[in-house]
Amino acid sequence: MYLFPLDFLNYSFLLHAHSHVAMLGWVYMIVYVLVVHFFIPKEKSQKPIYNRLFWLTEFSVIGMMIAFPIQGYALFSIVFSTMHILLSYIFCRLVWKDSLRDKSPSQRLLLVSILFMILSTFGVWCLGPAVSTLGKQSAFYQIAIQFFLHFQFNGWFILAILALFLKQFKEKINEVKFKKFYFLMVASTLLTVCFPVRWFIENDILSYVNGLGVLIQLGAFVYFYKMLQPQIGHFKSTLDKTTKIVYGLALCSLFLKVGIQLLTLFPNLAEVSHQIRNFVIGFIHLTTLGIITGFLFGILLQNKMLSANSSSLKIGVKSFILGYIATEVLLFLQGWFFFFGEGSIPGYFQSILIFSILLVLGLVLMMSSIIKRK
């Protein structure tokens, strides 16, 4: 759109479709499948309700995919978005009722991630009253959106992904270290919601609370590493080269995310983190493409749901990773150029387009490997 403006397309409407389908179409749907596969006993997961609920949820995503580019936030897109939330409540209830009650680390992480998912939707229900009383430009409206996004990404998605990842470790995980990681992670997720709220409310206390949350998160991932350290060697020995690369990407992205959040302890960087759009998009893509998608691809490869022996899949994974790394470098580099008043990188939009095509090409090749296998 920046290189070839198209008058018949509304770019902001297209962005709404992109973000909703990425979150609720890709991440939500594959997490749905993997949670049912790994956490619901076979006799219960084969109940017709799981299949029907999946396709109803898929229908709501397709509705959003069609409605958002045409009308943005309007009647039909809101109807399909609301439908998705109500169906996700049914999914939460089913998982809570049918999942194994083994109190394993992965089980506890999954259940708290579901609570965060429900909590995140409170932000959505506040949007209507916010618009009708104060308008879309109000702090109330913006905070409601950020509340939803924060607990979706940092609560529901990240913790559900880590629950699925821990499920791949066959040996018993150190209970003491897990408890420390678990409680620190939950506390940091609750506290760091103050960071986006601070964008709209001038209050230094919010900055201090976020700072505490960021430091607690660092402590959580120190225990995360210590918890898995005794098993890492054996775990790696069971993986093929492609799966190791994908998991490595996910873990590097995860620790990079923690590092970037630590930078918000510096007031100047905290201030520009949301003012420079390139930083915002770079951070969102770091979370969705690097951490979430990285772990998901790793789990799919490790469990032979994707065939690591397929040449088209291997090329696809490499293309996707190259596209991801290149676009991240460009986004953050352009952000730093703006921060230091250096203007635009020459050929920035052309480069973003080329490397974004690598992402799509990688996904197409991966999909072709699945179709060939079928």
Side-chain angles (χ1 to χ4, degrees), residues 94-108:
L94 284 170
V95 172
W96 201 273
K97 182 167 64 78
D98 291 343
S99 60
L100 295 166
R101 284 287 181 265
D102 56 6
K103 293 188 178 178
S104 64
S106 57
Q107 172 74 14
R108 278 179 280 174

PDB file of all heavy atoms in Angstrom, residues 94-108:
ATOM      1  N   LEU A  94     -15.073 -26.235  28.374  1.00  0.00           N
ATOM      2  CA  LEU A  94     -14.800 -27.626  27.994  1.00  0.00           C
ATOM      3  C   LEU A  94     -13.429 -28.077  28.491  1.00  0.00           C
ATOM      4  O   LEU A  94     -13.281 -29.173  29.040  1.00  0.00           O
ATOM      5  CB  LEU A  94     -14.878 -27.790  26.473  1.00  0.00           C
ATOM      6  CG  LEU A  94     -16.279 -27.815  25.855  1.00  0.00           C
ATOM      7  CD1 LEU A  94     -16.189 -27.738  24.342  1.00  0.00           C
ATOM      8  CD2 LEU A  94     -17.046 -29.066  26.281  1.00  0.00           C
ATOM      9  N   VAL A  95     -12.417 -27.226  28.262  1.00  0.00           N
ATOM     10  CA  VAL A  95     -11.051 -27.580  28.674  1.00  0.00           C
ATOM     11  C   VAL A  95     -10.979 -27.700  30.185  1.00  0.00           C
ATOM     12  O   VAL A  95     -10.374 -28.624  30.734  1.00  0.00           O
ATOM     13  CB  VAL A  95     -10.026 -26.542  28.153  1.00  0.00           C
ATOM     14  CG1 VAL A  95      -8.645 -26.800  28.741  1.00  0.00           C
ATOM     15  CG2 VAL A  95      -9.961 -26.581  26.627  1.00  0.00           C
ATOM     16  N   TRP A  96     -11.611 -26.769  30.875  1.00  0.00           N
ATOM     17  CA  TRP A  96     -11.594 -26.793  32.346  1.00  0.00           C
ATOM     18  C   TRP A  96     -12.259 -28.070  32.874  1.00  0.00           C
ATOM     19  O   TRP A  96     -11.819 -28.660  33.849  1.00  0.00           O
ATOM     20  CB  TRP A  96     -12.308 -25.556  32.882  1.00  0.00           C
ATOM     21  CG  TRP A  96     -11.915 -25.234  34.293  1.00  0.00           C
ATOM     22  CD1 TRP A  96     -12.472 -25.731  35.430  1.00  0.00           C
ATOM     23  CD2 TRP A  96     -10.860 -24.363  34.720  1.00  0.00           C
ATOM     24  NE1 TRP A  96     -11.841 -25.221  36.535  1.00  0.00           N
ATOM     25  CE2 TRP A  96     -10.848 -24.381  36.136  1.00  0.00           C
ATOM     26  CE3 TRP A  96      -9.939 -23.572  34.049  1.00  0.00           C
ATOM     27  CZ2 TRP A  96      -9.937 -23.632  36.879  1.00  0.00           C
ATOM     28  CZ3 TRP A  96      -9.046 -22.818  34.789  1.00  0.00           C
ATOM     29  CH2 TRP A  96      -9.041 -22.854  36.187  1.00  0.00           C
ATOM     30  N   LYS A  97     -13.308 -28.492  32.171  1.00  0.00           N
ATOM     31  CA  LYS A  97     -14.080 -29.667  32.622  1.00  0.00           C
ATOM     32  C   LYS A  97     -13.419 -30.991  32.219  1.00  0.00           C
ATOM     33  O   LYS A  97     -13.400 -31.950  33.000  1.00  0.00           O
ATOM     34  CB  LYS A  97     -15.491 -29.583  32.021  1.00  0.00           C
ATOM     35  CG  LYS A  97     -16.451 -30.709  32.442  1.00  0.00           C
ATOM     36  CD  LYS A  97     -17.874 -30.355  32.065  1.00  0.00           C
ATOM     37  CE  LYS A  97     -18.053 -30.241  30.549  1.00  0.00           C
ATOM     38  NZ  LYS A  97     -18.142 -31.581  29.894  1.00  0.00           N
ATOM     39  N   ASP A  98     -12.874 -31.045  30.994  1.00  0.00           N
ATOM     40  CA  ASP A  98     -12.431 -32.325  30.435  1.00  0.00           C
ATOM     41  C   ASP A  98     -10.941 -32.613  30.537  1.00  0.00           C
ATOM     42  O   ASP A  98     -10.519 -33.759  30.359  1.00  0.00           O
ATOM     43  CB  ASP A  98     -12.812 -32.415  28.941  1.00  0.00           C
ATOM     44  CG  ASP A  98     -14.314 -32.530  28.744  1.00  0.00           C
ATOM     45  OD1 ASP A  98     -15.017 -32.856  29.727  1.00  0.00           O
ATOM     46  OD2 ASP A  98     -14.788 -32.305  27.616  1.00  0.00           O
ATOM     47  N   SER A  99     -10.124 -31.584  30.787  1.00  0.00           N
ATOM     48  CA  SER A  99      -8.676 -31.818  30.782  1.00  0.00           C
ATOM     49  C   SER A  99      -8.267 -32.641  31.999  1.00  0.00           C
ATOM     50  O   SER A  99      -8.971 -32.713  33.007  1.00  0.00           O
ATOM     51  CB  SER A  99      -7.903 -30.499  30.769  1.00  0.00           C
ATOM     52  OG  SER A  99      -8.214 -29.733  31.914  1.00  0.00           O
ATOM     53  N   LEU A 100      -7.098 -33.257  31.873  1.00  0.00           N
ATOM     54  CA  LEU A 100      -6.587 -34.120  32.939  1.00  0.00           C
ATOM     55  C   LEU A 100      -6.391 -33.322  34.224  1.00  0.00           C
ATOM     56  O   LEU A 100      -5.877 -32.207  34.184  1.00  0.00           O
ATOM     57  CB  LEU A 100      -5.251 -34.738  32.511  1.00  0.00           C
ATOM     58  CG  LEU A 100      -5.304 -35.693  31.313  1.00  0.00           C
ATOM     59  CD1 LEU A 100      -3.907 -35.942  30.788  1.00  0.00           C
ATOM     60  CD2 LEU A 100      -5.969 -37.008  31.703  1.00  0.00           C
ATOM     61  N   ARG A 101      -6.756 -33.901  35.321  1.00  0.00           N
ATOM     62  CA  ARG A 101      -6.567 -33.227  36.607  1.00  0.00           C
ATOM     63  C   ARG A 101      -5.314 -33.788  37.300  1.00  0.00           C
ATOM     64  O   ARG A 101      -5.351 -34.292  38.415  1.00  0.00           O
ATOM     65  CB  ARG A 101      -7.805 -33.438  37.501  1.00  0.00           C
ATOM     66  CG  ARG A 101      -8.993 -32.574  37.096  1.00  0.00           C
ATOM     67  CD  ARG A 101      -8.746 -31.118  37.477  1.00  0.00           C
ATOM     68  NE  ARG A 101      -9.884 -30.260  37.133  1.00  0.00           N
ATOM     69  CZ  ARG A 101      -9.980 -29.570  36.026  1.00  0.00           C
ATOM     70  NH1 ARG A 101      -9.031 -29.661  35.123  1.00  0.00           N
ATOM     71  NH2 ARG A 101     -11.013 -28.787  35.788  1.00  0.00           N
ATOM     72  N   ASP A 102      -4.179 -33.700  36.582  1.00  0.00           N
ATOM     73  CA  ASP A 102      -2.958 -34.293  37.131  1.00  0.00           C
ATOM     74  C   ASP A 102      -2.081 -33.291  37.886  1.00  0.00           C
ATOM     75  O   ASP A 102      -1.063 -33.640  38.459  1.00  0.00           O
ATOM     76  CB  ASP A 102      -2.137 -34.947  36.015  1.00  0.00           C
ATOM     77  CG  ASP A 102      -1.810 -33.969  34.889  1.00  0.00           C
ATOM     78  OD1 ASP A 102      -2.133 -32.775  35.043  1.00  0.00           O
ATOM     79  OD2 ASP A 102      -1.237 -34.406  33.878  1.00  0.00           O
ATOM     80  N   LYS A 103      -2.464 -32.019  37.862  1.00  0.00           N
ATOM     81  CA  LYS A 103      -1.738 -30.951  38.558  1.00  0.00           C
ATOM     82  C   LYS A 103      -0.272 -30.872  38.125  1.00  0.00           C
ATOM     83  O   LYS A 103       0.599 -30.450  38.890  1.00  0.00           O
ATOM     84  CB  LYS A 103      -1.838 -31.124  40.087  1.00  0.00           C
ATOM     85  CG  LYS A 103      -3.246 -30.916  40.616  1.00  0.00           C
ATOM     86  CD  LYS A 103      -3.281 -30.904  42.128  1.00  0.00           C
ATOM     87  CE  LYS A 103      -4.700 -30.640  42.643  1.00  0.00           C
ATOM     88  NZ  LYS A 103      -4.781 -30.664  44.109  1.00  0.00           N
ATOM     89  N   SER A 104       0.004 -31.296  36.905  1.00  0.00           N
ATOM     90  CA  SER A 104       1.364 -31.195  36.362  1.00  0.00           C
ATOM     91  C   SER A 104       1.668 -29.736  36.050  1.00  0.00           C
ATOM     92  O   SER A 104       0.754 -28.911  35.915  1.00  0.00           O
ATOM     93  CB  SER A 104       1.478 -32.031  35.092  1.00  0.00           C
ATOM     94  OG  SER A 104       0.617 -31.514  34.092  1.00  0.00           O
ATOM     95  N   PRO A 105       2.949 -29.373  35.928  1.00  0.00           N
ATOM     96  CA  PRO A 105       3.288 -27.978  35.581  1.00  0.00           C
ATOM     97  C   PRO A 105       2.590 -27.498  34.312  1.00  0.00           C
ATOM     98  O   PRO A 105       2.054 -26.386  34.280  1.00  0.00           O
ATOM     99  CB  PRO A 105       4.810 -28.046  35.389  1.00  0.00           C
ATOM    100  CG  PRO A 105       5.251 -29.129  36.316  1.00  0.00           C
ATOM    101  CD  PRO A 105       4.156 -30.149  36.250  1.00  0.00           C
ATOM    102  N   SER A 106       2.582 -28.322  33.275  1.00  0.00           N
ATOM    103  CA  SER A 106       1.953 -27.899  32.018  1.00  0.00           C
ATOM    104  C   SER A 106       0.449 -27.690  32.192  1.00  0.00           C
ATOM    105  O   SER A 106      -0.121 -26.743  31.648  1.00  0.00           O
ATOM    106  CB  SER A 106       2.214 -28.936  30.917  1.00  0.00           C
ATOM    107  OG  SER A 106       1.757 -30.213  31.308  1.00  0.00           O
ATOM    108  N   GLN A 107      -0.183 -28.544  32.987  1.00  0.00           N
ATOM    109  CA  GLN A 107      -1.621 -28.432  33.236  1.00  0.00           C
ATOM    110  C   GLN A 107      -1.955 -27.127  33.967  1.00  0.00           C
ATOM    111  O   GLN A 107      -2.901 -26.419  33.613  1.00  0.00           O
ATOM    112  CB  GLN A 107      -2.091 -29.636  34.064  1.00  0.00           C
ATOM    113  CG  GLN A 107      -3.521 -29.568  34.566  1.00  0.00           C
ATOM    114  CD  GLN A 107      -4.529 -29.803  33.457  1.00  0.00           C
ATOM    115  OE1 GLN A 107      -4.169 -30.267  32.396  1.00  0.00           O
ATOM    116  NE2 GLN A 107      -5.782 -29.474  33.709  1.00  0.00           N
ATOM    117  N   ARG A 108      -1.147 -26.804  34.976  1.00  0.00           N
ATOM    118  CA  ARG A 108      -1.401 -25.580  35.743  1.00  0.00           C
ATOM    119  C   ARG A 108      -1.189 -24.321  34.886  1.00  0.00           C
ATOM    120  O   ARG A 108      -1.936 -23.358  34.996  1.00  0.00           O
ATOM    121  CB  ARG A 108      -0.500 -25.543  36.982  1.00  0.00           C
ATOM    122  CG  ARG A 108      -1.074 -26.377  38.142  1.00  0.00           C
ATOM    123  CD  ARG A 108      -0.172 -26.363  39.339  1.00  0.00           C
ATOM    124  NE  ARG A 108       0.930 -27.308  39.176  1.00  0.00           N
ATOM    125  CZ  ARG A 108       1.945 -27.437  40.028  1.00  0.00           C
ATOM    126  NH1 ARG A 108       1.997 -26.650  41.093  1.00  0.00           N
ATOM    127  NH2 ARG A 108       2.894 -28.317  39.827  1.00  0.00           N
TER     128      ARG A 108
END
